[in-house]
Amino acid sequence: MASYRVKPSKPVAIVGALIGIGMLVVVFVNGIGRGNGFIWLWAAACVAIVGFNLWAAFSKNGATEVIERRSTE
């Protein structure tokens, strides 16, 4: 059974990280002082998006998906 790692291209992962950073900046500029938990939840999601995209872009094993091919026996 062969398995293949599917990895996004480096430019796509970097663009995804930049979009996540932009979302994080917007959330802090517009959300500071509101004092609700949604702002922090949104910020945590943005940090996760940035981290995942940077991991996928620069890690040697940064595969986001593994496809296994089964032999037809």
Side-chain angles (χ1 to χ4, degrees):
M1 182 176 346
S3 65
Y4 304 96
R5 294 178 183 254
V6 179
K7 185 175 180 178
S9 66
K10 193 175 279 192
V12 168
I14 291 173
V15 167
L18 291 175
I19 290 171
I21 290 170
M23 290 170 58
L24 191 62
V25 167
V26 168
V27 100
F28 280 130
V29 167
N30 292 329
I32 295 295
R34 293 198 180 166
N36 59 5
F38 180 73
I39 300 300
W40 297 109
L41 180 65
W42 189 269
C46 291
V47 169
I49 290 169
V50 170
F52 178 75
N53 278 299
L54 291 177
W55 170 76
F58 297 110
S59 175
K60 182 178 179 183
N61 295 325
T64 58
E65 185 178 352
V66 176
I67 298 175
E68 292 183 357
R69 182 176 172 175
R70 297 182 185 173
S71 62
T72 56
E73 293 179 327

